Amino acid sequence: MMITFSDFLHAAVSNPYMLISLVLTVGVVIANGWANAPNAVASSVATRSVSPAKAILVAGIFNAMGLIAMTFINSSVALTIYRMVDFRGNQRHSLVALYAAMAAILIWTFAAWKIGIPTSQGHALIAAVSGAAVALQGGLSGIYWSEWVKVLYGLVLSVVLSVVLGFSLSLFTEMLFTNAVRRKTTPFFKKAQIGGAAALSFMNGAQDGQKLMGLFLLGLFLAKGNYGTDNVRIPLWIMVTCAFFTTAGTFIGGARIIRTVGLKMVKIEPYQGVAADLAASASLMIASLLGLPASLNQTKTMAVIGGGASRKLSAVNWGLVKGIVLTWIFTFPGCGLLGYMLAWLLIKLFG
């Protein structure tokens, strides 16, 4: 089943639920752009390969390209988000619960962005939607574990693969260019890192862009009253809409996250940045082709740590890393609980 753009416009005008879903979803998509997508180009800023302004431009453009291209190749990640929770039941209750989940995502993302900590908005989305579904159904029956477990598979695979590949590729490059003159190789690696940043931005769109489209589909089908349809197709207009607003969010607020990951977390050489970008891109590509949701922020951060640690562990700001990791750890229970509480409260008040 596929919703055409003309059907959507008609429904948005005549159905206030559709309009509310649209506004909140756009808010979440923009938040992803300002708090998440910039992390893809952070290491290129850290090595002074590109200015923050140009890095944000690269992140925005290639993120949009990745979202559209990968959805045509394999839309499994988007459909996993759509199918992982049960929002069936009273339409009003279901919509209120979904609105609560979106509000929780925005609150969590804004709080992390405000202090400059790169949280995983993809995992915040998954946690908030899961918490809201549990509140709606009155128990864990609100979660389809056969789909939800893919999140854990994607988490473990991407994090482990990223740090190992980041360390290994960086070490291999050091060995390969042991006798090279640094002033001659540095320009090459700086140019290569711009390409690496573009590739990683592309893969971010392929991953987090699909999570956002899954959320969009939830809102659309709930508002139309036909949620639960299995044969779902993602139309091009949804891809373009999510790509546009993600890019807009990156331009609005990407600089703060770039400063945290790119300039504060780790001191790296250009070749280490290239290794980190290639490692994270490969990890996200593998996860995407397997249909597993993965986090750009976690993948990229672990790849940067692996690349930076290949030369010396002291190059990594472990205090900042600890704060970032704690943010990750608390995202699932914290945002999940926030989604649950908001959904429970709003259902009681407006359901």
Side-chain angles (χ1 to χ4, degrees):
M1 180 178 182
M2 183 170 68
I3 298 177
T4 66
F5 186 62
S6 59
D7 288 341
F8 167 74
L9 286 179
H10 180 267
V13 173
S14 60
N15 185 344
Y17 292 138
M18 183 74 79
L19 190 59
I20 295 171
S21 294
L22 172 64
V23 171
L24 288 173
T25 303
V26 166
V28 173
V29 173
I30 291 175
N32 176 271
W34 85 49
N36 202 60
N39 199 30
V41 295
S43 59
S44 64
V45 176
T47 61
R48 306 299 192 274
S49 298
V50 65
S51 68
K54 291 181 179 178
I56 290 173
L57 182 63
V58 169
I61 293 173
F62 282 89
N63 186 80
M65 291 172 60
L67 185 155
I68 295 172
M70 184 56 74
T71 304
F72 278 116
I73 297 171
N74 186 349
S75 60
S76 297
V77 172
L79 297 180
T80 292
I81 301 301
Y82 173 75
R83 294 167 177 161
M84 68 185 292
V85 288
D86 183 5
F87 273 86
R88 288 175 295 189
N90 180 285
Q91 184 191 29
R92 186 179 178 86
H93 290 180
S94 298
L95 284 166
V96 167
L98 184 62
Y99 299 159
M102 293 185 190
I105 297 166
L106 289 170
I107 292 169
W108 189 268
T109 302
F110 179 78
W113 173 83
K114 189 66 176 177
I115 60 177
I117 294 294
T119 186
S120 168
Q121 204 211 21
H123 287 168
L125 184 157
I126 291 167
V129 170
S130 298
V134 169
L136 175 65
Q137 302 299 342
L140 294 179
S141 61
I143 297 175
Y144 294 122
W145 295 104
S146 60
E147 294 291 331
W148 209 96
V149 74
K150 295 177 183 178
V151 177
L152 299 180
Y153 292 153
L155 171 63
V156 174
L157 173 68
S158 61
V159 168
V160 173
L161 199 57
S162 293
V163 72
V164 171
L165 284 177
F167 182 87
S168 301
L169 288 175
S170 183
L171 197 61
F172 174 75
T173 305
E174 289 175 13
M175 295 171 59
L176 193 63
F177 290 88
T178 298
N179 299 321
V181 179
R182 175 169 295 190
R183 64 181 176 82
K184 293 183 178 180
T185 60
T186 296
F188 165 76
F189 283 116
K190 283 191 173 183
K191 291 180 181 178
Q193 193 166 12
I194 297 174
L200 190 53
S201 296
F202 183 93
M203 288 313 306
N204 175 59
Q207 264 288 337
D208 275 16
Q210 288 207 40
K211 297 187 188 81
L212 296 170
M213 287 190 293
L215 183 66
F216 204 164
L217 288 172
L218 272 173
L220 289 179
F221 283 112
L222 281 175
K224 285 180 66 66
N226 56 5
Y227 170 72
T229 304
D230 288 329
N231 185 23
V232 176
R233 293 171 56 196
I234 303 174
L236 179 61
W237 70 266
I238 290 183
M239 302 179 206
V240 173
T241 300
C242 287
F244 173 80
F245 284 108
T246 301
T247 301
T250 302
F251 291 152
I252 291 170
R256 185 184 293 265
I257 296 301
I258 283 178
R259 284 196 296 270
T260 296
V261 177
L263 301 176
K264 297 180 181 179
M265 188 180 74
V266 61
K267 296 178 180 179
I268 56 177
E269 298 289 338
Y271 75 87
Q272 293 171 309
V274 173
D277 287 345
L278 291 177
S281 298
S283 299
L284 289 174
M285 174 63 80
I286 292 171
S288 296
L289 292 177
L290 292 175
L292 302 176
S295 165
L296 164 73
N297 282 336
Q298 294 176 359
T299 302
K300 175 59 183 292
T301 301
M302 296 308 295
V304 170
I305 291 172
S310 67
R311 193 161 191 179
K312 55 180 180 178
L313 293 175
S314 60
V316 180
N317 183 343
W318 293 106
L320 184 58
V321 170
K322 179 181 178 181
I324 292 173
V325 172
L326 286 175
T327 303
W328 294 347
I329 292 173
F330 287 116
T331 293
F332 276 122
C335 202
L337 182 61
L338 182 60
Y340 175 89
M341 293 175 63
L342 285 176
W344 182 87
L345 179 62
L346 292 178
I347 288 173
K348 292 292 184 183
L349 291 177
F350 304 108

